[in-house]
Amino acid sequence: MDMTIDAIDVRVVPPVALAYTKALTLPHLASAVRPRFLVLQPNGSLNQANSGDFQHGLESILEQATDGVIVDLLWVGSLDAYGIAALVAGIQRATALGKQMLFQALDAKSRLALETEWAQQQESSVGAWKHTFSSNLEAFLDNFTHG
């Protein structure tokens, strides 16, 4: 799987700096210059055969960006359960680092699978999550939305 990395940092580097590499590093940027966001564009299938390499690369670029990573899935032709698991692992790593992980061009089926897997991971790590609101808030919302 080939991947493209774009560095976005309006403070120090040009608005978009491109790096095409399989090593998932940005050797042309000085170590003191860390991009705020990196845009990762995988190309091909994200599946059992390559999800481990993708996950390792994703975690590596999360370390390099100061604010987070945007994963652009426009050129991903197929995404299986292993690919979804790699994306969830990336979300977990981003959360642990206090960074953002955003997705672009995620089709509806993959989005549902990702949200389902993320919810299962959350439930297994912190227990069932309930959205509980007071009856006054529920009544207010009902009146507000239904007139």
Side-chain angles (χ1 to χ4, degrees), residues 84-107:
I84 295 293
L87 294 174
V88 168
I91 295 170
Q92 290 171 328
R93 183 68 181 144
T95 302
L97 293 171
K99 297 181 181 182
Q100 298 178 42
M101 188 162 146
L102 309 168
F103 297 98
Q104 283 292 108
L106 184 63
D107 65 79

Side-chain angles (χ1 to χ4, degrees), residues 1-4 21-22 41-44:
M1 167 179 282
D2 293 328
M3 291 183 247
T4 303
T21 179
K22 291 184 184 235
Q41 296 177 308
N43 186 1

